Amino acid sequence: MKKLLIFTLLIYCCNFISGQKLFDKGYFIDSTGVKTECLIKNYDRQNNPSKIEIKRSDSDKIETYGIHEISEFCIYGYGLYKRFEVNIDSSAYSLNLSERKNPDWKKMTIFLKVLVQGKANLYSFTKLNQTLFFFTVNDSQIQQLIYKEYTQHGQSGVNNGFRQQLLALVNNGYKTADDVSTLQYNELVLVKYFNDDNGINPTKSAIKKIRREIFNLKITPGIEFSKPAVEHSLYYFGTIQFNKTQNYRIGLETEVFFPFYKNRFSFLFEPTYQQLNTSLERVFYGNTTLHYETIDFPIGIRYYQYFDSNNRIFLNVNFAPNISVNFNSFINYGFVNFKMDLTPSPFFSFGAGYDFKNIGFEFKCNLNRDLLSKYVYWDTDFQKVSFIVRYKFYKHSN
């Protein structure tokens, strides 16, 4: 309970610090054309916003502006948004597939995220994890690039009208029907297409983005401390409290970042090898030995709080299912020489740590794990605290 309370307190503190750091430099242009440099609350979410919260300076109060008060805003390094009145396919956000092949047009005023600027401009609008793309050419009326999945008479189909739109309207003269026939309706493909049409090298694009971590690999050696206990629910003599022990562990952590909220959350998978050997000699009851050697496969979620590009603290919660590689782990019990194979139960662990560049340090608490889960009258108290060093030997960013 104390460990959970400490972890909850750490989460609260990190959230408090995070709340102070959500505002990033940017600007907005109001409906009269006045540009204001300011700090804008940056949730870094995928969905396009319908309002913004700003502060004139760190010490000023928060102001909120709705979509009809702002024509454009930008958070430097994260995104540029412009307000448009558009015809949008409302069926794209329906829970059920439409029975109509053609879009169900609805007029809306929305903020569109600028993806490409040039002679041909590309924009995106994301809602409910569904992204639609819009474009203009030489200041023409904005249009949605048509893509619609539908079902008719029990048959599924896809309206790929965006390919014909690109061939007819976003074409520098070199594109043919064959060139667009296999284009996919996604951001990477369309951004490349528009950059090619504009003659822009993506590395020299006018829209600068902050590089994001996507994928990390880390080696994670460490030392663990525990005080195992074995108990029989019917017989007092079955209770054994081993002395405090220490053992070593090593893992290979795979970390994948979620593409939102400023790279604060990541998914973890960390196969971990550990070995523990301990014994206890008792008068009249003989020697009891515990041999615990496994590879566990915990998964987890990590939360980061950044101080700068090189320094950050983190919290994580992990869950290890009862899936493991067991190297003949057992308890050999006392004078009766009763050997029980270990069958570890699932367990949770909580960790907190600090990263500096490629090196990290973590303190982790492993909640109780029953090592004799298949034995009805036997139980174990097996909790651990771990001190872990993390070395990042591979990093992929974009």
PDB file of all heavy atoms in Angstrom, residues 179-204:
ATOM      1  N   ASP A 179       0.544   6.596 -62.957  1.00  0.00           N
ATOM      2  CA  ASP A 179       1.289   7.119 -61.808  1.00  0.00           C
ATOM      3  C   ASP A 179       0.417   7.261 -60.566  1.00  0.00           C
ATOM      4  O   ASP A 179       0.905   7.141 -59.439  1.00  0.00           O
ATOM      5  CB  ASP A 179       1.913   8.480 -62.145  1.00  0.00           C
ATOM      6  CG  ASP A 179       2.989   8.375 -63.218  1.00  0.00           C
ATOM      7  OD1 ASP A 179       3.669   7.333 -63.259  1.00  0.00           O
ATOM      8  OD2 ASP A 179       3.129   9.327 -64.007  1.00  0.00           O
ATOM      9  N   VAL A 180      -0.859   7.554 -60.760  1.00  0.00           N
ATOM     10  CA  VAL A 180      -1.742   7.795 -59.606  1.00  0.00           C
ATOM     11  C   VAL A 180      -2.619   6.582 -59.286  1.00  0.00           C
ATOM     12  O   VAL A 180      -3.315   6.589 -58.269  1.00  0.00           O
ATOM     13  CB  VAL A 180      -2.636   9.029 -59.839  1.00  0.00           C
ATOM     14  CG1 VAL A 180      -1.793  10.272 -60.077  1.00  0.00           C
ATOM     15  CG2 VAL A 180      -3.616   8.793 -60.979  1.00  0.00           C
ATOM     16  N   SER A 181      -2.582   5.558 -60.113  1.00  0.00           N
ATOM     17  CA  SER A 181      -3.533   4.445 -59.953  1.00  0.00           C
ATOM     18  C   SER A 181      -3.321   3.648 -58.675  1.00  0.00           C
ATOM     19  O   SER A 181      -4.235   2.965 -58.207  1.00  0.00           O
ATOM     20  CB  SER A 181      -3.441   3.503 -61.164  1.00  0.00           C
ATOM     21  OG  SER A 181      -2.151   2.923 -61.241  1.00  0.00           O
ATOM     22  N   THR A 182      -2.126   3.721 -58.100  1.00  0.00           N
ATOM     23  CA  THR A 182      -1.853   2.939 -56.887  1.00  0.00           C
ATOM     24  C   THR A 182      -1.604   3.825 -55.662  1.00  0.00           C
ATOM     25  O   THR A 182      -1.201   3.331 -54.612  1.00  0.00           O
ATOM     26  CB  THR A 182      -0.623   2.037 -57.109  1.00  0.00           C
ATOM     27  OG1 THR A 182       0.506   2.833 -57.449  1.00  0.00           O
ATOM     28  CG2 THR A 182      -0.888   1.010 -58.202  1.00  0.00           C
ATOM     29  N   LEU A 183      -1.821   5.132 -55.809  1.00  0.00           N
ATOM     30  CA  LEU A 183      -1.599   6.026 -54.674  1.00  0.00           C
ATOM     31  C   LEU A 183      -2.514   5.658 -53.498  1.00  0.00           C
ATOM     32  O   LEU A 183      -3.698   5.359 -53.688  1.00  0.00           O
ATOM     33  CB  LEU A 183      -1.870   7.475 -55.071  1.00  0.00           C
ATOM     34  CG  LEU A 183      -0.806   8.195 -55.906  1.00  0.00           C
ATOM     35  CD1 LEU A 183      -1.245   9.627 -56.188  1.00  0.00           C
ATOM     36  CD2 LEU A 183       0.533   8.192 -55.205  1.00  0.00           C
ATOM     37  N   GLN A 184      -1.946   5.703 -52.299  1.00  0.00           N
ATOM     38  CA  GLN A 184      -2.718   5.427 -51.093  1.00  0.00           C
ATOM     39  C   GLN A 184      -3.133   6.733 -50.437  1.00  0.00           C
ATOM     40  O   GLN A 184      -2.457   7.755 -50.523  1.00  0.00           O
ATOM     41  CB  GLN A 184      -1.891   4.596 -50.109  1.00  0.00           C
ATOM     42  CG  GLN A 184      -1.467   3.243 -50.651  1.00  0.00           C
ATOM     43  CD  GLN A 184      -2.652   2.368 -51.023  1.00  0.00           C
ATOM     44  OE1 GLN A 184      -3.540   2.131 -50.203  1.00  0.00           O
ATOM     45  NE2 GLN A 184      -2.670   1.906 -52.262  1.00  0.00           N
ATOM     46  N   TYR A 185      -4.265   6.647 -49.741  1.00  0.00           N
ATOM     47  CA  TYR A 185      -4.824   7.833 -49.080  1.00  0.00           C
ATOM     48  C   TYR A 185      -4.238   7.937 -47.675  1.00  0.00           C
ATOM     49  O   TYR A 185      -4.882   7.624 -46.678  1.00  0.00           O
ATOM     50  CB  TYR A 185      -6.352   7.712 -49.025  1.00  0.00           C
ATOM     51  CG  TYR A 185      -7.091   9.003 -48.704  1.00  0.00           C
ATOM     52  CD1 TYR A 185      -7.289   9.966 -49.688  1.00  0.00           C
ATOM     53  CD2 TYR A 185      -7.607   9.237 -47.436  1.00  0.00           C
ATOM     54  CE1 TYR A 185      -7.994  11.126 -49.419  1.00  0.00           C
ATOM     55  CE2 TYR A 185      -8.313  10.397 -47.154  1.00  0.00           C
ATOM     56  CZ  TYR A 185      -8.503  11.345 -48.147  1.00  0.00           C
ATOM     57  OH  TYR A 185      -9.203  12.504 -47.876  1.00  0.00           O
ATOM     58  N   ASN A 186      -2.970   8.338 -47.592  1.00  0.00           N
ATOM     59  CA  ASN A 186      -2.352   8.553 -46.285  1.00  0.00           C
ATOM     60  C   ASN A 186      -1.374   9.714 -46.376  1.00  0.00           C
ATOM     61  O   ASN A 186      -0.976  10.147 -47.461  1.00  0.00           O
ATOM     62  CB  ASN A 186      -1.681   7.289 -45.744  1.00  0.00           C
ATOM     63  CG  ASN A 186      -0.497   6.837 -46.561  1.00  0.00           C
ATOM     64  OD1 ASN A 186       0.463   7.581 -46.752  1.00  0.00           O
ATOM     65  ND2 ASN A 186      -0.540   5.608 -47.067  1.00  0.00           N
ATOM     66  N   GLU A 187      -0.978  10.199 -45.207  1.00  0.00           N
ATOM     67  CA  GLU A 187      -0.212  11.447 -45.147  1.00  0.00           C
ATOM     68  C   GLU A 187       1.135  11.330 -45.830  1.00  0.00           C
ATOM     69  O   GLU A 187       1.529  12.217 -46.607  1.00  0.00           O
ATOM     70  CB  GLU A 187      -0.041  11.874 -43.688  1.00  0.00           C
ATOM     71  CG  GLU A 187       0.707  13.196 -43.535  1.00  0.00           C
ATOM     72  CD  GLU A 187       0.725  13.688 -42.097  1.00  0.00           C
ATOM     73  OE1 GLU A 187      -0.285  13.510 -41.381  1.00  0.00           O
ATOM     74  OE2 GLU A 187       1.769  14.262 -41.701  1.00  0.00           O
ATOM     75  N   LEU A 188       1.879  10.273 -45.561  1.00  0.00           N
ATOM     76  CA  LEU A 188       3.213  10.152 -46.129  1.00  0.00           C
ATOM     77  C   LEU A 188       3.185  10.177 -47.656  1.00  0.00           C
ATOM     78  O   LEU A 188       3.986  10.858 -48.303  1.00  0.00           O
ATOM     79  CB  LEU A 188       3.882   8.865 -45.637  1.00  0.00           C
ATOM     80  CG  LEU A 188       4.322   8.845 -44.166  1.00  0.00           C
ATOM     81  CD1 LEU A 188       4.881   7.470 -43.805  1.00  0.00           C
ATOM     82  CD2 LEU A 188       5.375   9.921 -43.905  1.00  0.00           C
ATOM     83  N   VAL A 189       2.266   9.411 -48.219  1.00  0.00           N
ATOM     84  CA  VAL A 189       2.168   9.322 -49.685  1.00  0.00           C
ATOM     85  C   VAL A 189       1.745  10.664 -50.285  1.00  0.00           C
ATOM     86  O   VAL A 189       2.341  11.146 -51.265  1.00  0.00           O
ATOM     87  CB  VAL A 189       1.169   8.216 -50.080  1.00  0.00           C
ATOM     88  CG1 VAL A 189       0.882   8.262 -51.579  1.00  0.00           C
ATOM     89  CG2 VAL A 189       1.713   6.843 -49.695  1.00  0.00           C
ATOM     90  N   LEU A 190       0.734  11.301 -49.699  1.00  0.00           N
ATOM     91  CA  LEU A 190       0.218  12.544 -50.266  1.00  0.00           C
ATOM     92  C   LEU A 190       1.196  13.703 -50.079  1.00  0.00           C
ATOM     93  O   LEU A 190       1.335  14.549 -50.960  1.00  0.00           O
ATOM     94  CB  LEU A 190      -1.130  12.873 -49.642  1.00  0.00           C
ATOM     95  CG  LEU A 190      -2.265  11.904 -50.004  1.00  0.00           C
ATOM     96  CD1 LEU A 190      -3.534  12.225 -49.234  1.00  0.00           C
ATOM     97  CD2 LEU A 190      -2.532  11.934 -51.510  1.00  0.00           C
ATOM     98  N   VAL A 191       1.877  13.754 -48.949  1.00  0.00           N
ATOM     99  CA  VAL A 191       2.880  14.806 -48.747  1.00  0.00           C
ATOM    100  C   VAL A 191       3.980  14.688 -49.802  1.00  0.00           C
ATOM    101  O   VAL A 191       4.414  15.688 -50.384  1.00  0.00           O
ATOM    102  CB  VAL A 191       3.472  14.727 -47.322  1.00  0.00           C
ATOM    103  CG1 VAL A 191       4.755  15.545 -47.223  1.00  0.00           C
ATOM    104  CG2 VAL A 191       2.456  15.230 -46.303  1.00  0.00           C
ATOM    105  N   LYS A 192       4.440  13.476 -50.056  1.00  0.00           N
ATOM    106  CA  LYS A 192       5.470  13.281 -51.086  1.00  0.00           C
ATOM    107  C   LYS A 192       4.964  13.709 -52.457  1.00  0.00           C
ATOM    108  O   LYS A 192       5.675  14.367 -53.226  1.00  0.00           O
ATOM    109  CB  LYS A 192       5.901  11.812 -51.122  1.00  0.00           C
ATOM    110  CG  LYS A 192       7.031  11.530 -52.108  1.00  0.00           C
ATOM    111  CD  LYS A 192       7.450  10.073 -52.093  1.00  0.00           C
ATOM    112  CE  LYS A 192       8.659   9.828 -53.004  1.00  0.00           C
ATOM    113  NZ  LYS A 192       8.441  10.281 -54.380  1.00  0.00           N
ATOM    114  N   TYR A 193       3.705  13.362 -52.757  1.00  0.00           N
ATOM    115  CA  TYR A 193       3.135  13.721 -54.057  1.00  0.00           C
ATOM    116  C   TYR A 193       3.093  15.241 -54.225  1.00  0.00           C
ATOM    117  O   TYR A 193       3.501  15.790 -55.258  1.00  0.00           O
ATOM    118  CB  TYR A 193       1.736  13.125 -54.195  1.00  0.00           C
ATOM    119  CG  TYR A 193       1.099  13.355 -55.549  1.00  0.00           C
ATOM    120  CD1 TYR A 193       1.189  12.388 -56.554  1.00  0.00           C
ATOM    121  CD2 TYR A 193       0.418  14.538 -55.837  1.00  0.00           C
ATOM    122  CE1 TYR A 193       0.618  12.602 -57.804  1.00  0.00           C
ATOM    123  CE2 TYR A 193      -0.157  14.762 -57.077  1.00  0.00           C
ATOM    124  CZ  TYR A 193      -0.049  13.790 -58.054  1.00  0.00           C
ATOM    125  OH  TYR A 193      -0.604  14.002 -59.293  1.00  0.00           O
ATOM    126  N   PHE A 194       2.610  15.947 -53.211  1.00  0.00           N
ATOM    127  CA  PHE A 194       2.492  17.404 -53.302  1.00  0.00           C
ATOM    128  C   PHE A 194       3.862  18.069 -53.319  1.00  0.00           C
ATOM    129  O   PHE A 194       4.064  19.067 -54.029  1.00  0.00           O
ATOM    130  CB  PHE A 194       1.635  17.941 -52.148  1.00  0.00           C
ATOM    131  CG  PHE A 194       0.159  17.909 -52.429  1.00  0.00           C
ATOM    132  CD1 PHE A 194      -0.530  16.710 -52.432  1.00  0.00           C
ATOM    133  CD2 PHE A 194      -0.539  19.077 -52.710  1.00  0.00           C
ATOM    134  CE1 PHE A 194      -1.895  16.673 -52.697  1.00  0.00           C
ATOM    135  CE2 PHE A 194      -1.897  19.049 -52.981  1.00  0.00           C
ATOM    136  CZ  PHE A 194      -2.581  17.847 -52.987  1.00  0.00           C
ATOM    137  N   ASN A 195       4.801  17.547 -52.536  1.00  0.00           N
ATOM    138  CA  ASN A 195       6.160  18.099 -52.588  1.00  0.00           C
ATOM    139  C   ASN A 195       6.780  17.927 -53.967  1.00  0.00           C
ATOM    140  O   ASN A 195       7.445  18.831 -54.484  1.00  0.00           O
ATOM    141  CB  ASN A 195       7.036  17.437 -51.529  1.00  0.00           C
ATOM    142  CG  ASN A 195       6.861  18.035 -50.142  1.00  0.00           C
ATOM    143  OD1 ASN A 195       6.517  19.203 -50.005  1.00  0.00           O
ATOM    144  ND2 ASN A 195       7.086  17.227 -49.120  1.00  0.00           N
ATOM    145  N   ASP A 196       6.574  16.761 -54.563  1.00  0.00           N
ATOM    146  CA  ASP A 196       7.078  16.532 -55.921  1.00  0.00           C
ATOM    147  C   ASP A 196       6.450  17.513 -56.901  1.00  0.00           C
ATOM    148  O   ASP A 196       7.126  18.063 -57.775  1.00  0.00           O
ATOM    149  CB  ASP A 196       6.787  15.096 -56.363  1.00  0.00           C
ATOM    150  CG  ASP A 196       7.667  14.073 -55.661  1.00  0.00           C
ATOM    151  OD1 ASP A 196       8.667  14.487 -55.047  1.00  0.00           O
ATOM    152  OD2 ASP A 196       7.347  12.869 -55.720  1.00  0.00           O
ATOM    153  N   ASP A 197       5.159  17.731 -56.755  1.00  0.00           N
ATOM    154  CA  ASP A 197       4.466  18.639 -57.667  1.00  0.00           C
ATOM    155  C   ASP A 197       4.977  20.067 -57.513  1.00  0.00           C
ATOM    156  O   ASP A 197       5.074  20.806 -58.492  1.00  0.00           O
ATOM    157  CB  ASP A 197       2.959  18.592 -57.409  1.00  0.00           C
ATOM    158  CG  ASP A 197       2.177  19.384 -58.445  1.00  0.00           C
ATOM    159  OD1 ASP A 197       2.041  18.889 -59.582  1.00  0.00           O
ATOM    160  OD2 ASP A 197       1.734  20.504 -58.131  1.00  0.00           O
ATOM    161  N   ASN A 198       5.310  20.436 -56.268  1.00  0.00           N
ATOM    162  CA  ASN A 198       5.814  21.785 -56.015  1.00  0.00           C
ATOM    163  C   ASN A 198       7.306  21.917 -56.286  1.00  0.00           C
ATOM    164  O   ASN A 198       7.857  23.020 -56.228  1.00  0.00           O
ATOM    165  CB  ASN A 198       5.547  22.186 -54.560  1.00  0.00           C
ATOM    166  CG  ASN A 198       4.071  22.445 -54.308  1.00  0.00           C
ATOM    167  OD1 ASN A 198       3.366  22.945 -55.173  1.00  0.00           O
ATOM    168  ND2 ASN A 198       3.611  22.105 -53.116  1.00  0.00           N
ATOM    169  N   GLY A 199       7.981  20.771 -56.528  1.00  0.00           N
ATOM    170  CA  GLY A 199       9.421  20.814 -56.711  1.00  0.00           C
ATOM    171  C   GLY A 199      10.159  21.109 -55.428  1.00  0.00           C
ATOM    172  O   GLY A 199      11.214  21.741 -55.428  1.00  0.00           O
ATOM    173  N   ILE A 200       9.593  20.631 -54.295  1.00  0.00           N
ATOM    174  CA  ILE A 200      10.181  20.909 -52.984  1.00  0.00           C
ATOM    175  C   ILE A 200      10.905  19.680 -52.479  1.00  0.00           C
ATOM    176  O   ILE A 200      10.381  18.568 -52.511  1.00  0.00           O
ATOM    177  CB  ILE A 200       9.090  21.304 -51.961  1.00  0.00           C
ATOM    178  CG1 ILE A 200       8.406  22.608 -52.400  1.00  0.00           C
ATOM    179  CG2 ILE A 200       9.675  21.468 -50.560  1.00  0.00           C
ATOM    180  CD1 ILE A 200       7.232  22.979 -51.537  1.00  0.00           C
ATOM    181  N   ASN A 201      12.139  19.887 -52.021  1.00  0.00           N
ATOM    182  CA  ASN A 201      12.852  18.848 -51.283  1.00  0.00           C
ATOM    183  C   ASN A 201      12.286  18.831 -49.867  1.00  0.00           C
ATOM    184  O   ASN A 201      12.361  19.839 -49.166  1.00  0.00           O
ATOM    185  CB  ASN A 201      14.348  19.172 -51.249  1.00  0.00           C
ATOM    186  CG  ASN A 201      15.144  18.091 -50.542  1.00  0.00           C
ATOM    187  OD1 ASN A 201      14.591  17.304 -49.779  1.00  0.00           O
ATOM    188  ND2 ASN A 201      16.433  18.066 -50.797  1.00  0.00           N
ATOM    189  N   PRO A 202      11.694  17.697 -49.418  1.00  0.00           N
ATOM    190  CA  PRO A 202      11.074  17.667 -48.088  1.00  0.00           C
ATOM    191  C   PRO A 202      12.000  18.113 -46.973  1.00  0.00           C
ATOM    192  O   PRO A 202      11.558  18.653 -45.971  1.00  0.00           O
ATOM    193  CB  PRO A 202      10.677  16.196 -47.919  1.00  0.00           C
ATOM    194  CG  PRO A 202      10.542  15.677 -49.312  1.00  0.00           C
ATOM    195  CD  PRO A 202      11.565  16.422 -50.111  1.00  0.00           C
ATOM    196  N   THR A 203      13.317  17.891 -47.117  1.00  0.00           N
ATOM    197  CA  THR A 203      14.242  18.289 -46.050  1.00  0.00           C
ATOM    198  C   THR A 203      14.388  19.804 -45.994  1.00  0.00           C
ATOM    199  O   THR A 203      14.911  20.340 -45.021  1.00  0.00           O
ATOM    200  CB  THR A 203      15.617  17.657 -46.269  1.00  0.00           C
ATOM    201  OG1 THR A 203      16.145  18.111 -47.513  1.00  0.00           O
ATOM    202  CG2 THR A 203      15.525  16.138 -46.272  1.00  0.00           C
ATOM    203  N   LYS A 204      13.923  20.492 -47.050  1.00  0.00           N
ATOM    204  CA  LYS A 204      14.011  21.953 -47.068  1.00  0.00           C
ATOM    205  C   LYS A 204      12.632  22.589 -47.042  1.00  0.00           C
ATOM    206  O   LYS A 204      12.460  23.741 -47.408  1.00  0.00           O
ATOM    207  CB  LYS A 204      14.772  22.409 -48.320  1.00  0.00           C
ATOM    208  CG  LYS A 204      16.214  21.914 -48.381  1.00  0.00           C
ATOM    209  CD  LYS A 204      16.899  22.392 -49.640  1.00  0.00           C
ATOM    210  CE  LYS A 204      18.345  21.883 -49.703  1.00  0.00           C
ATOM    211  NZ  LYS A 204      19.041  22.330 -50.929  1.00  0.00           N
TER     212      LYS A 204
END
